[in-house]
Amino acid sequence: MPIYQAPLEDVDFVLNEVLDAGQLAQLPGWEDATPDLVRQVLEEGAKISEQVLFPLNQSGDEEGCRFENGVVRTPCGFPEAYRAYAEGGWIGLSADPDYGGQGLPHLVNFVMEEFICSANLAFGIYPGLSQGAANALREHGSDDLKRLYLPHLIDGSWSGTMCLTEAQSGTDLGLVRTRAVPADDGSYRVTGTKIFISSGEHDLTENIIHLVLARLPDAPAGTKGISLFLVPKFLPRDDGSVGPRNGVACGGIEHKMGIKASSTCVLNFDDATGWLVGAANKGMRAMFTMMNAARLAVGMQGLGMVEVSYQNARAYARDRRQGKALNGAKEAGSAGAAADPIIVHPDVRKNLLTMKALAEGGRALAYWIGLALDLEDRHPDARIRQEAGDLVSLMTPVVKALLTDVGFEATNLGVQIFGGHGYIRENGMEQYVRDARIAQIYEGANGIQALDLVGRKLPQDMGRLLRRFFHPVAQELEAGRDDPALAEFVGPLARAFGKLQQATLLIATRGLKDPLEAAAASTDYLRLFGLVALGAMWLRMAKAAQRGAAQLGAVQAGDTPPGDGRLGFYDAKLKTARFYFAKLLPQVNPLFTAIAAGAGTVMALGEDQF
Amino acid sequence: MPIYQAPLEDVDFVLNEVLDAGQLAQLPGWEDATPDLVRQVLEEGAKISEQVLFPLNQSGDEEGCRFENGVVRTPCGFPEAYRAYAEGGWIGLSADPDYGGQGLPHLVNFVMEEFICSANLAFGIYPGLSQGAANALREHGSDDLKRLYLPHLIDGSWSGTMCLTEAQSGTDLGLVRTRAVPADDGSYRVTGTKIFISSGEHDLTENIIHLVLARLPDAPAGTKGISLFLVPKFLPRDDGSVGPRNGVACGGIEHKMGIKASSTCVLNFDDATGWLVGAANKGMRAMFTMMNAARLAVGMQGLGMVEVSYQNARAYARDRRQGKALNGAKEAGSAGAAADPIIVHPDVRKNLLTMKALAEGGRALAYWIGLALDLEDRHPDARIRQEAGDLVSLMTPVVKALLTDVGFEATNLGVQIFGGHGYIRENGMEQYVRDARIAQIYEGANGIQALDLVGRKLPQDMGRLLRRFFHPVAQELEAGRDDPALAEFVGPLARAFGKLQQATLLIATRGLKDPLEAAAASTDYLRLFGLVALGAMWLRMAKAAQRGAAQLGAVQAGDTPPGDGRLGFYDAKLKTARFYFAKLLPQVNPLFTAIAAGAGTVMALGEDQF
């Protein structure tokens, strides 16, 4: 049976020793969000994740959702778990207290998203979409809509969806055909069919609030003619109670590779009553409020998958005995055992360390962006708000694509460590692979994230966004340049950063002349960017570990002795940093080579030559 | 619905224009195996793969095997398909005519394995294990055993298994506990429990012949005390008919990530009657006859997965319309279409080209080794036989691990090209991912293949095996050095080959002092080796394509114009070669860097620091 324990010690290290998240308590409205309070909240979050959500993860996968007569039944235990989750206030963790939210920083919710995704990815999709819908509504909805819908979305009695995709319109939302016709009372009648709608129908809440992309009768073609509508499953009465059924029905659910406990629905809108959210024909903008948050949340899914798969692979590698250590049997023979635990084998260690380096590096990266979300939202200094917002904007595609790609890679390493036992369903490791796989696809496939990075984020305002990443990395490198204790990290990072700068220049120069050049380089560039970002995080973590160890009195940064407890923790951090710089960061080189090789070989074949 | 068409044109190119497989018809007993006959056989093989096996692939996955009261039912249609397959003589395609085989070269069977794996991987496991059992028996069995069992295994009325794994003994076969006690009549009584036994029980044949690793009462500990036994499900009578039930029973089947139509069984042997195959305590050697063939066959599974996933991704990319070409809409607008087929997008092309380069390069590599198997078996010159055998031995772990790793990577690219539709079961793409995943694990997990390569194959006889790969590559590079038409391929390959040589030297030097160093480098080294091997194949294919195009009169090697038909084929080959050298081969560099970085960072952490 799989295991999961929320990684509170590492979370604490990242929040307080790497990122100084305590600064959030100085921002208006978050005075209570001290490290102590945040730790208490996260301890509670760990409990519900471990004790309520995690036990339903495997059974949810085995059972899946069922569709019968237009109704979707979630797996056994899901409705009860959802109720406990909603009643605990977790959906509104960082939502506006005016509408019933807990009003905590986004960063706290970020951490909680990691826990939920590790514990039960499919479950997490239901409340996650409600949070997204609530955010979009809060930002773009009228006061009437907000008053009527937000409290329900935040207390979890109602849930939300994002209805974008249609059969002919996936990545290309300009092809959306669903139409909305104005009615006399200021509402609209929405008609069309949406597919792949997560949480589109289920039995967890008394109402479901769909945010739907559709076209007004006079709308221009393409994405400029798309508007966003709120279409509830049941029309609410003015007192907030649930009224008559609206013209939207679930036509079926998909049978998927994974996240089987999350319902993926075909939704048929037939003259359904809806209300415009935001301005007419500006639906894409409103949808992107939701989409950007969702992209970061999907990145957290990748991170959550790395962590839980790592925990299980580590436990198995310590327990499973096969073969003897190559440098002389460790326990085999001597202690009467016929074989050593497989954690003695270098290749098993390499796979485990890869997972560990990606989990911890990914965590630091994701939380850094979570912190920036909060600074963007509340910092009193407008310049800092803008800079933080620029960083979030720049890094959203990186966090989404990088963390979901490594999520998939790491869960596969987890299976490999289990060997044949990893391929057997009851051991749980292959479910992580199947569940992790979707995160590379939805909320903008990772190839689209890469296009967003090179086509939109890089050139924006003459590279203004880019500087929000390049400057701090350059500063960190500069600051560490003459510190001998940091040389082993600063050197490799500086070289990789140099490759990233060169690649950026290449793409900017060539992309100006030929957009195909930028597009052909995009996925390699995003990965290169991501590896450098993880490297920057590992440098910061190494510094924090050296500082922490020094404060504990063990000084001698760089070769603190291994040990138990906190010193052992810092020591492991430094060793994992070394592994990252020696074994993983060099992957930037062929990415640069492939980018430099240009689009020629990619575009040369005629379509019939494939 | 997925599609599959056996890639006969490319097979023909590799066999006849790259490898000169026609030479096989000059070897004794294969006089009939002319290119014409081989083509005819493969056309028939394509038919049964496409028309009989492929249509059962998705339904077999959905239905899976069922275990009821000790009996395993394969999915609907499998028994009939198996009968057609056996009656067509496909199981004995390259088996000895003395026992009813078709007596064709191994290479023909290799090609057929690719087709079967593309068409229906789970199905292919049943006859594949029979072939393996027949080979082991033919090599190590007594004349009595051969006379009684081989004809049935070859005509498919009986099937075979390999019973190695036990709960406590997977990779480490020295831990096997199943025991065999001699009986008075020269037979043995076998008792123990085996797990993960593919085809261990099913309803396709009237008997199942288990080859079982077990220990004699006086056997030394570890792998030196393991013997191989033949244990039939039903004891045959002397006339070859099926007699009474033997003491072996299926205790259950596993529920797996994929290959669900292949039964994976727990087998309980309880005083089952068996016969020794080969010498007492020499079971590992006999088992390796089977295992080596099985490893190559599993490599073909990887190849088959790349090919079929590629064919489907290509068809989808030509058909699915999303977005407009970045260099000006191709069809969108002009022809009234709102979007272009996604094959215009660089990142989609890059993914398709990666799949294509891996399928075609992998095919050339695998068939090269298939040809060597035949030269080893029949060439009149003992030196050539030995050299071919050395090459097979060296490349077996590379073919197994590389082709199954790229099999998994490519099927995931296939899913990505389909986007959300790739995640939906009915579209078939995610099944390829799930099915391909096992091939990285069974018949020796890929980490074990890497240890075999660095720990056994490299040092063997002072690097004698290694020369069988290094010499031809060096010669090919030397021969192409001054040919301007080849410069674009020779240059990158020479650099990558230089990295491989350096890495080999590093590992040999360091590994002598510390085996952990070799082990820590092993998986990176195998991948580096594999990428160079694919590069060598791409150089040979590029030369063959230039030659072929020149013979067609279009000369101007290196930039033959695109075109239809055969010229277009050669042109696509050259373009794909360019893609491989520009975009994929550079991945050797960080592998080299990681190898050079040594084992230190991998071994540094204490077991409690993970």
Side-chain angles (χ1 to χ4, degrees):
Chain A
M1 292 287 291
I3 55 166
Y4 174 63
Q5 203 173 4
L8 288 169
E9 185 177 19
D10 199 56
V11 167
D12 205 67
F13 171 73
V14 173
L15 291 184
N16 297 309
E17 298 185 55
V18 181
L19 295 178
D20 182 23
Q23 65 186 288
L24 291 175
Q26 279 138 41
L27 300 184
W30 288 333
E31 292 78 4
D32 294 340
T34 60
D36 276 349
L37 178 99
V38 167
R39 190 177 295 123
Q40 281 171 34
V41 169
L42 291 176
E43 280 170 8
E44 289 305 309
K47 263 188 221 161
I48 192 167
S49 300
E50 296 165 5
Q51 296 169 12
V52 177
L53 306 185
F54 183 63
L56 298 176
N57 187 49
Q58 263 193 301
S59 58
D61 179 63
E62 283 297 324
E63 200 183 328
C65 289
R66 278 170 303 143
F67 177 72
E68 287 159 1
N69 305 318
V71 174
V72 173
R73 301 252 169 257
T74 58
C76 194
F78 269 54
E80 295 77 12
Y82 179 83
R83 203 147 48 234
Y85 191 80
E87 282 169 6
W90 296 105
I91 299 172
L93 195 58
S94 57
D96 190 340
D98 288 351
Y99 297 101
Q102 307 280 323
L104 283 167
H106 302 294
L107 180 55
V108 183
N109 194 52
F110 247 56
V111 177
M112 193 58 197
E113 277 175 0
E114 184 204 315
F115 294 176
I116 305 166
C117 294
S118 284
N120 196 325
L121 184 60
F123 177 93
I125 294 169
Y126 297 100
L129 281 162
S130 297
Q131 291 181 335
N135 286 343
L137 208 53
R138 182 163 181 277
E139 200 119 334
H140 303 282
S142 68
D143 287 343
D144 280 353
L145 289 178
K146 285 197 263 194
R147 200 169 46 238
L148 194 52
Y149 289 91
L150 276 182
H152 289 293
L153 285 170
I154 286 168
D155 73 14
S157 55
W158 299 357
S159 70
T161 76
M162 292 169 70
C163 298
L164 288 69
T165 303
E166 301 177 6
Q168 79 295 343
S169 172
T171 292
D172 188 349
L173 288 173
L175 303 177
V176 156
R177 286 186 198 143
T178 296
R179 51 191 204 282
V181 181
D184 295 338
D185 62 357
S187 69
Y188 295 79
R189 296 293 169 270
V190 177
T191 302
T193 297
K194 295 287 180 178
I195 66 168
F196 296 170
I197 307 307
S198 295
S199 316
E201 179 60 40
H202 57 75
D203 56 3
L204 303 180
T205 56
E206 59 178 19
N207 202 1
I208 303 175
I209 311 308
H210 306 292
L211 292 184
V212 186
L213 290 188
R215 292 185 181 284
L216 291 166
D218 54 352
T223 52
K224 288 177 180 147
I226 289 179
S227 307
L228 183 65
F229 298 88
L230 180 156
V231 182
K233 176 178 168 187
F234 292 100
L235 294 164
R237 301 204 180 84
D238 283 345
D239 63 0
S241 66
V242 160
R245 183 74 191 241
N246 197 1
V248 49
C250 177
I253 59 174
E254 305 291 347
H255 298 100
K256 309 185 297 294
M257 182 184 197
I259 54 164
K260 295 185 181 187
S262 163
S263 65
T264 306
C265 305
V266 175
L267 286 186
N268 297 310
F269 295 85
D270 184 11
D271 258 347
T273 300
W275 289 270
L276 190 62
V277 177
N281 298 331
K282 300 290 182 198
M284 289 299 282
R285 194 195 301 169
M287 193 45 95
F288 262 105
T289 301
M290 208 160 158
M291 182 73 103
N292 282 328
R295 287 177 172 179
L296 290 172
V298 171
M300 301 309 284
Q301 294 181 352
L303 172 60
M305 288 288 100
V306 184
E307 174 65 30
V308 70
S309 183
Y310 172 60
Q311 290 190 17
N312 282 278
R314 175 178 63 189
Y316 187 80
R318 285 174 177 156
D319 183 58
R320 172 77 171 167
R321 290 170 181 273
Q322 292 287 284
K324 299 186 176 77
L326 286 172
N327 53 345
K330 286 237 157 134
E331 301 176 27
S334 67
D340 283 315
I342 61 173
I343 200 168
V344 304
H345 301 310
D347 196 55
V348 172
R349 292 181 148 254
K350 178 173 158 251
N351 288 343
L352 282 175
L353 271 162
T354 302
M355 298 172 87
K356 181 172 162 67
L358 295 173
E360 296 174 9
R363 178 170 299 122
L365 177 62
Y367 293 5
W368 181 40
I369 305 309
L371 177 69
L373 269 179
D374 286 323
L375 298 177
E376 177 189 13
D377 189 18
R378 299 268 173 104
H379 200 280
D381 183 336
R383 194 179 54 84
I384 290 181
R385 282 203 305 278
Q386 192 194 353
E387 288 184 0
D390 286 353
L391 179 68
V392 170
S393 182
L394 173 70
M395 298 303 284
T396 295
V398 178
V399 167
K400 195 276 183 183
L402 176 78
L403 295 189
T404 60
D405 281 347
V406 305
F408 186 68
E409 293 156 20
T411 54
N412 271 296
L413 293 176
V415 166
Q416 199 69 19
I417 288 168
F418 269 66
H421 298 274
Y423 200 67
I424 305 299
R425 294 227 301 270
E426 69 178 311
N427 293 319
M429 297 304 281
E430 61 86 40
Q431 183 190 345
Y432 296 132
V433 173
R434 291 186 288 103
D435 286 355
R437 186 65 184 86
I438 188 59
Q440 299 173 287
I441 298 172
Y442 60 16
E443 308 308 343
N446 286 356
I448 298 300
Q449 304 300 326
L451 286 178
D452 179 45
L453 180 64
V454 302
R456 203 177 312 210
K457 303 298 169 63
L458 289 200
Q460 197 171 322
D461 291 321
M462 307 287 288
R464 193 189 77 206
L465 306 194
L466 200 59
R467 287 194 287 279
R468 297 282 66 78
F469 177 75
F470 278 22
H471 279 186
V473 174
Q475 278 166 7
E476 200 106 34
L477 287 170
E478 180 63 26
R481 214 181 46 175
D482 300 323
D483 183 346
L486 290 176
E488 60 181 327
F489 310 119
V490 165
L493 181 60
R495 285 191 294 277
F497 185 52
K499 290 287 183 198
L500 176 60
Q501 289 172 305
Q502 281 182 61
T504 307
L505 196 62
L506 263 180
I507 289 174
T509 318
R510 291 181 186 166
L512 271 182
K513 288 182 213 135
D514 182 358
L516 287 176
E517 282 289 341
S522 58
T523 51
D524 289 331
Y525 180 77
L526 185 144
R527 180 78 177 200
L528 168 51
F529 201 118
L531 288 168
V532 170
L534 290 180
M537 293 301 117
W538 272 111
L539 173 58
R540 289 175 75 170
M541 288 196 284
K543 283 167 70 171
Q546 289 176 346
R547 197 167 49 232
Q551 282 169 359
L552 277 177
V555 200
Q556 296 313 330
D559 60 1
T560 47
D564 292 336
R566 200 65 188 168
L567 262 188
F569 175 89
Y570 291 131
D571 182 63
K573 273 284 169 218
L574 287 167
K575 287 171 172 169
T576 309
R578 284 181 198 119
F579 174 84
Y580 183 80
F581 286 105
K583 300 285 188 179
L584 302 183
L585 187 60
Q587 291 167 8
V588 299
N589 294 313
L591 294 165
F592 177 77
T593 310
I595 291 166
T601 60
V602 173
M603 300 311 296
L605 274 80
E607 284 165 29
D608 55 347
Q609 289 189 303
F610 280 88
Chain B
M1 292 288 290
I3 54 166
Y4 174 63
Q5 203 173 6
L8 288 169
E9 185 176 19
D10 199 55
V11 168
D12 204 66
F13 171 73
V14 173
L15 292 184
N16 298 309
E17 297 184 57
V18 180
L19 296 178
D20 183 21
Q23 65 186 289
L24 291 175
Q26 278 138 43
L27 300 184
W30 289 332
E31 292 78 4
D32 293 341
T34 60
D36 276 350
L37 179 98
V38 168
R39 191 177 294 121
Q40 281 171 34
V41 169
L42 292 176
E43 280 171 7
E44 289 305 309
K47 262 187 220 161
I48 192 166
S49 301
E50 295 165 3
Q51 296 169 12
V52 177
L53 306 185
F54 183 64
L56 299 176
N57 187 49
Q58 261 192 304
S59 59
D61 178 64
E62 283 296 326
E63 201 183 326
C65 289
R66 276 171 305 143
F67 177 71
E68 288 160 2
N69 305 319
V71 173
V72 173
R73 301 251 168 258
T74 58
C76 194
F78 269 54
E80 296 77 12
Y82 179 83
R83 204 147 46 235
Y85 191 78
E87 282 168 6
W90 295 105
I91 299 171
L93 194 59
S94 57
D96 190 340
D98 289 349
Y99 297 101
Q102 307 280 323
L104 282 167
H106 302 294
L107 180 55
V108 184
N109 194 51
F110 247 55
V111 177
M112 192 58 196
E113 276 174 1
E114 185 204 316
F115 294 176
I116 304 165
C117 294
S118 285
N120 196 325
L121 184 59
F123 177 93
I125 293 169
Y126 297 100
L129 281 163
S130 298
Q131 291 180 335
N135 287 343
L137 208 53
R138 182 162 180 279
E139 200 118 335
H140 302 282
S142 69
D143 287 344
D144 280 354
L145 289 179
K146 285 197 264 195
R147 199 170 45 238
L148 195 52
Y149 290 91
L150 277 182
H152 289 294
L153 285 170
I154 286 167
D155 72 15
S157 55
W158 299 357
S159 69
T161 75
M162 293 169 69
C163 298
L164 288 70
T165 303
E166 301 177 8
Q168 80 294 343
S169 171
T171 291
D172 187 349
L173 288 173
L175 303 176
V176 156
R177 287 187 198 142
T178 296
R179 50 189 204 283
V181 181
D184 295 339
D185 63 355
S187 70
Y188 294 80
R189 298 293 169 270
V190 178
T191 301
T193 297
K194 297 285 180 178
I195 66 167
F196 295 171
I197 307 307
S198 295
S199 315
E201 178 60 41
H202 56 76
D203 55 2
L204 303 180
T205 57
E206 58 178 20
N207 202 0
I208 302 175
I209 311 308
H210 307 293
L211 292 184
V212 185
L213 289 188
R215 292 184 182 284
L216 290 167
D218 55 352
T223 53
K224 287 177 181 149
I226 289 179
S227 308
L228 184 65
F229 297 88
L230 180 156
V231 182
K233 176 178 167 187
F234 292 99
L235 294 164
R237 301 204 180 83
D238 283 345
D239 64 358
S241 67
V242 161
R245 183 75 191 241
N246 197 1
V248 49
C250 178
I253 59 174
E254 305 291 348
H255 298 99
K256 309 185 299 295
M257 183 186 198
I259 54 163
K260 294 185 181 188
S262 164
S263 65
T264 304
C265 305
V266 175
L267 285 187
N268 297 310
F269 294 87
D270 184 11
D271 258 347
T273 300
W275 288 269
L276 190 62
V277 177
N281 297 331
K282 299 292 181 196
M284 289 298 283
R285 195 195 299 169
M287 192 45 95
F288 261 105
T289 302
M290 207 161 158
M291 183 73 103
N292 282 328
R295 286 177 172 179
L296 290 173
V298 171
M300 301 309 285
Q301 294 181 352
L303 173 60
M305 288 288 99
V306 184
E307 175 65 31
V308 69
S309 183
Y310 172 61
Q311 289 190 17
N312 282 279
R314 175 178 63 190
Y316 187 79
R318 284 173 177 155
D319 183 59
R320 171 78 171 168
R321 291 170 180 273
Q322 292 288 283
K324 299 186 175 78
L326 287 171
N327 53 345
K330 287 238 156 135
E331 301 175 28
S334 67
D340 283 316
I342 62 172
I343 201 169
V344 304
H345 301 311
D347 194 54
V348 171
R349 293 181 145 253
K350 177 171 158 253
N351 288 344
L352 281 174
L353 271 161
T354 301
M355 298 172 87
K356 181 173 162 68
L358 295 173
E360 296 174 9
R363 179 171 297 122
L365 176 62
Y367 292 5
W368 182 39
I369 305 308
L371 178 68
L373 269 180
D374 287 323
L375 298 177
E376 177 189 13
D377 189 17
R378 299 268 174 104
H379 201 281
D381 183 335
R383 195 180 54 83
I384 290 181
R385 283 203 305 278
Q386 192 194 353
E387 289 183 0
D390 286 353
L391 180 68
V392 171
S393 183
L394 174 71
M395 298 302 285
T396 295
V398 178
V399 167
K400 195 278 183 181
L402 176 77
L403 295 190
T404 60
D405 281 347
V406 305
F408 185 68
E409 292 156 21
T411 53
N412 272 296
L413 293 176
V415 166
Q416 200 68 20
I417 289 169
F418 269 66
H421 298 274
Y423 201 67
I424 304 299
R425 294 226 302 269
E426 68 178 311
N427 293 319
M429 297 303 280
E430 61 87 39
Q431 183 190 343
Y432 296 132
V433 173
R434 289 186 290 102
D435 286 354
R437 186 65 184 84
I438 188 58
Q440 300 173 287
I441 299 172
Y442 61 15
E443 308 308 341
N446 285 356
I448 298 300
Q449 305 299 326
L451 286 178
D452 180 44
L453 179 64
V454 302
R456 204 177 312 210
K457 303 298 169 64
L458 289 200
Q460 197 170 324
D461 291 321
M462 308 285 289
R464 194 189 77 206
L465 306 194
L466 199 59
R467 287 195 286 277
R468 297 283 64 81
F469 177 75
F470 277 22
H471 280 187
V473 174
Q475 278 165 8
E476 200 107 33
L477 287 169
E478 180 63 25
R481 215 180 46 176
D482 300 322
D483 184 346
L486 290 176
E488 60 181 326
F489 310 119
V490 165
L493 181 60
R495 284 191 294 278
F497 185 52
K499 290 286 184 200
L500 177 60
Q501 290 172 305
Q502 280 183 62
T504 308
L505 196 61
L506 262 181
I507 289 175
T509 317
R510 291 182 185 165
L512 272 182
K513 286 183 215 136
D514 182 357
L516 287 176
E517 282 289 342
S522 58
T523 50
D524 289 332
Y525 180 77
L526 185 145
R527 181 76 176 201
L528 168 51
F529 200 119
L531 288 168
V532 171
L534 291 180
M537 294 300 117
W538 272 111
L539 172 58
R540 289 174 75 169
M541 290 197 284
K543 282 166 71 170
Q546 288 177 347
R547 198 166 50 231
Q551 282 170 0
L552 278 177
V555 201
Q556 295 314 329
D559 60 2
T560 47
D564 292 337
R566 199 66 190 168
L567 263 188
F569 175 89
Y570 291 131
D571 182 63
K573 273 284 169 219
L574 288 167
K575 288 171 172 169
T576 309
R578 283 179 200 120
F579 175 83
Y580 183 80
F581 286 104
K583 299 286 187 179
L584 302 184
L585 187 60
Q587 289 166 8
V588 298
N589 295 311
L591 294 166
F592 177 77
T593 309
I595 291 166
T601 59
V602 174
M603 301 310 297
L605 274 80
E607 283 164 31
D608 56 345
Q609 289 189 305
F610 279 88

